[in-house]
Amino acid sequence: DGGITQSPKYLFRKEGQNVTLSCEQNLNHDAMYWYRQDPGQGLRLIYYSQIVNDFQKGDIAEGYSVSREKKESFPLTVTSAQKNPTAFYLCASSKVGVYNEQFFGPGTRLTVL
Amino acid sequence: GQQLNQSPQSMFIQEGEDVSMNCTSSSIFNTWLWYKQDPGEGPVLLIALYKAGELTSNGRLTAQFGITRKDSFLNISASIPSDVGIYFCAGQLGSGGGADGLTFGKGTHLIIQP
């Protein structure tokens, strides 16, 4: 089955620790994205990547870092510099072209204690 | 960044009723998308709109891309219990083959009373 996987579903970390969220896709999509969702809010763009070894900051990139070493993978690191890291994190992927609708993974809920 | 104003924030309706929700923006978008999200899950794509004025249906769902490129609406006909959830509109600036991030509305929470 083609799709996007995110792991783990729930993640708990102590304040001050860095944590890396996994995102893998087997849809052969060139572009991948990370969004953050807070309760009662829409999604906000953190980072996106249109091609391997290249990525761009989104609207709320401060305190986050990403890498894109493989087409299938786009891990997100939440660093200790992120002031309010507790949130629901969603990964998406899309083709690059005119019809580039984004498809989402199931999400990772991060709670920082 | 850009902002999308989505309304209504929530809707309480009876099963079988039709539903209408919309999004407006101060900026032009080249693509409008509508998603549905269940609690604790990722959004699921319902309809994608790529041309101003375009009207597209997906089963009981119909969405339109406003002629000004600054708005879109979603209609759901004859609602059923599984329509319950949060509906998001999203706009994308990218054109000419690029792929950039989406700007999301804050969602419409649909609640259906049997």
Side-chain angles (χ1 to χ4, degrees):
Chain A
D1 280 289
I4 303 172
T5 57
Q6 291 185 244
S7 61
K9 181 67 174 175
Y10 300 95
L11 191 55
F12 297 87
R13 279 294 183 268
K14 291 183 178 180
E15 193 173 347
Q17 290 182 335
N18 292 355
V19 60
T20 298
L21 280 60
S22 168
C23 178
E24 304 276 332
Q25 56 96 4
N26 60 4
L27 299 169
N28 199 32
H29 286 168
D30 286 305
M32 296 186 74
Y33 314 79
W34 275 104
Y35 294 87
R36 169 186 172 134
Q37 186 176 31
D38 293 290
Q41 301 295 315
L43 284 66
R44 292 183 292 167
L45 181 67
I46 305 173
Y47 268 98
Y48 66 102
S49 168
Q50 295 190 14
I51 195 170
V52 173
N53 292 323
D54 188 42
F55 47 83
Q56 287 76 42
K57 292 182 179 180
D59 299 321
I60 55 167
E62 185 176 352
Y64 300 97
S65 66
V66 293
S67 63
R68 187 85 186 278
E69 298 177 359
K70 298 189 300 181
K71 184 176 181 178
E72 301 80 14
S73 178
F74 191 40
L76 172 75
T77 296
V78 184
T79 76
S80 57
Q82 169 51 232
K83 294 179 181 178
N84 296 296
T86 294
F88 191 43
Y89 290 88
L90 289 152
C91 177
S93 70
S94 76
K95 298 178 182 178
V96 174
V98 175
Y99 302 107
N100 54 10
E101 55 265 28
Q102 294 179 23
F103 297 91
F104 285 83
T108 291
R109 186 168 299 280
L110 173 65
T111 301
V112 176
L113 306 172
Chain B
Q2 299 86 14
Q3 287 189 336
L4 292 184
N5 298 309
Q6 185 171 351
S7 64
Q9 185 175 358
S10 59
M11 300 183 73
F12 295 80
I13 64 169
Q14 300 285 333
E15 185 177 348
E17 287 186 18
D18 296 342
V19 171
S20 184
M21 58 192 79
N22 68 83
C23 269
T24 60
S25 171
S26 57
S27 304
I28 289 174
F29 288 102
N30 289 306
T31 302
W32 283 92
L33 303 161
W34 285 92
Y35 290 88
K36 178 177 182 280
Q37 185 179 30
D38 292 327
E41 302 294 331
V44 174
L45 181 65
L46 300 174
I47 293 179
L49 302 158
Y50 294 99
K51 296 180 182 179
E54 179 181 359
L55 183 71
T56 297
S57 293
N58 178 8
R60 294 179 294 106
L61 278 61
T62 301
Q64 184 158 28
F65 190 148
I67 196 71
T68 64
R69 297 188 179 183
K70 293 183 178 181
D71 63 315
S72 177
F73 73 74
L74 174 71
N75 287 343
I76 305 172
S77 62
S79 58
I80 60 177
S82 62
D83 291 335
V84 166
I86 303 176
Y87 292 79
F88 289 99
C89 62
Q92 186 174 41
L93 284 171
S95 61
D100 56 8
L102 298 174
T103 299
F104 278 81
K106 292 188 176 182
T108 295
H109 192 179
L110 180 61
I111 299 165
I112 299 176
Q113 300 162 336

